[in-house]
Amino acid sequence: MNITREEHGAVEVIGLPQRLTMSDAGEYRHAIRDIVDSGCKLIALDMSRVDFVDSSGLSVLVSAYKAARNADGDAALFGLQPQVRALVELTRLHHIFEVFADKTSAVNHLNQSTVA
Amino acid sequence: MKKMMLVKLEAADIPRAGDWIERACISFGLDQTEAFKVKTCVVEAINNSIEHAYEGQVGNVTMSAWEENQQVKIEIIDEGREPEIREPCSNSDELPDPYSERGRGLAIIRAWMDDLSMTRTGSSNVLCMSKRIQQ
C-alpha cells in the first residue's frame, strides 16, 4: 500500500497512489477508515498522483467521505488530473465532495469548517 | 487489423490489460482522452468478469480490439458464470446515487462508449463495445 500522511492543523492530508483500482481498493478503504477512527475526522484526499481510478477506486473515496461525515468531520479532494476529474464528474462525486485545485485551498476550507 | 490478448486474469493484472488497450486504441487513431475512456471501460468490463462471472477467482478472459469502419471495436469474453444482470443501464442518468459504493461500472461503460452489448453464447459471456474514431 502506498499512501502518505501529513498533518496540517486539524486536517490530515492523505496522499493516494498512482492507481486506485479493484485489486487494492479494500486495503485503501480500511486504511482511510482506520485514520478517521484514530481521531482524524477532517481529511483532504490528495489525488495529484492518481492517474487512473476505476469504480472500485471511486468507492474508496465515497467510503472515506462517509467515514469522515459519520465522525462529524468532513472530507475534500484536491489535485485531480483532468481524466480523473472527468470520471469524478461523470459519476457526480463532485456533488458530495468539495473539490479543490491544490492542497492549500483544501486544507484552509477544512480548517475553517472547524471554526464555523 | 485485429489485436488480441488472451490473459488469465486476477485483479492485480487488470491495469496491465488497461494499458494494453489504451496503446491499441491510440494506434487505431483515438486521441489520448478517448483512449483513456476506452481503457476505463475495459477495466470496468474485466472487473465485472472477475467479480461476477468468476466470483473473484482467477479466470481466462480473452480481449480483442480492432478498427472497423472508423470505430474501435472491443470484445471481451469470459467463461464464467452467467451474470444475473446482463442488461446495461439505458443512459447515464441511471448512474447510482453518488453516495453509493457499488454499481457504477456498467453505467460508466454506457456513458463513455458509443455502443454496448452483452450476450451469453454457449458457456461464454461476450461483451462487445465500440467507440467512434473522430476525424
Side-chain angles (χ1 to χ4, degrees):
Chain A
M1 197 168 50
N2 186 16
I3 62 172
T4 60
R5 295 178 62 177
E6 294 173 21
E7 274 186 39
H8 292 265
V11 178
E12 189 83 6
V13 174
I14 301 172
L16 294 172
Q18 184 181 10
R19 292 178 192 236
L20 195 54
T21 59
M22 187 172 80
S23 63
D24 42 21
E27 267 186 283
Y28 287 107
R29 180 181 292 108
H30 289 302
I32 295 170
R33 284 192 171 178
D34 285 348
I35 291 170
V36 174
D37 288 346
S38 73
C40 306
K41 60 183 186 179
L42 298 173
I43 53 174
L45 299 173
D46 179 358
M47 301 288 288
S48 59
R49 283 191 300 164
V50 180
D51 65 14
F52 187 78
V53 59
D54 65 10
S55 57
S56 298
L58 295 176
S59 77
V60 172
L61 305 181
V62 175
S63 169
Y65 175 84
K66 288 178 174 176
R69 297 293 291 185
N70 286 341
D72 294 325
D74 202 359
L77 304 179
F78 70 89
L80 278 71
Q81 298 186 27
Q83 291 166 329
V84 173
R85 174 180 280 272
L87 189 61
V88 165
E89 291 178 353
L90 171 70
T91 53
R92 303 186 302 232
L93 295 196
H94 63 307
H95 290 181
I96 61 172
F97 280 103
E98 293 278 359
V99 180
F100 296 92
D102 55 60
K103 177 164 63 181
T104 302
S105 305
V107 167
N108 286 345
H109 169 80
L110 289 169
N111 269 322
Q112 284 167 8
S113 73
T114 62
V115 176
Chain B
M1 177 172 52
K2 188 163 186 170
K3 294 188 171 186
M4 184 176 288
M5 184 186 205
L6 172 61
V7 277
K8 195 166 193 173
L9 280 170
E10 52 187 282
D13 300 323
I14 297 176
R16 181 168 54 92
D19 291 341
W20 179 85
I21 202 73
E22 186 175 32
R23 286 193 299 272
C25 286
I26 289 170
S27 76
F28 295 146
L30 288 183
D31 65 26
Q32 191 72 48
T33 299
E34 297 302 290
F36 179 86
K37 289 180 178 178
V38 175
K39 171 185 178 176
T40 303
C41 294
V42 164
V43 167
E44 294 297 343
I46 298 174
N47 283 351
N48 277 343
S49 287
I50 290 184
E51 188 175 0
H52 300 296
Y54 291 124
E55 298 177 303
Q57 304 302 307
V58 176
N60 282 323
V61 176
T62 307
M63 179 170 62
S64 307
W66 66 98
E67 187 271 330
E68 183 182 317
N69 298 328
Q70 284 300 300
Q71 296 178 86
V72 173
K73 303 266 191 177
I74 312 266
E75 185 180 71
I76 295 170
I77 301 174
D78 69 61
E79 294 170 355
R81 186 175 66 86
E82 184 174 10
E84 289 173 14
I85 301 171
R86 201 151 8 103
E87 288 302 315
C89 304
S90 60
N91 58 55
S92 58
D93 289 341
E94 295 188 35
L95 278 158
D97 184 286
Y99 294 92
S100 171
E101 293 184 42
R102 296 191 59 80
R104 292 187 176 86
L106 280 176
I108 291 169
I109 297 173
R110 174 58 80 187
W112 273 0
M113 297 299 288
D114 294 318
D115 192 43
L116 168 65
S117 68
M118 289 179 286
T119 55
R120 180 78 176 177
T121 304
S123 60
S124 299
N125 298 307
V126 182
L127 183 148
C128 298
M129 51 190 174
S130 64
K131 187 79 176 170
R132 278 188 296 279
I133 301 170
Q134 303 293 336
Q135 293 298 302

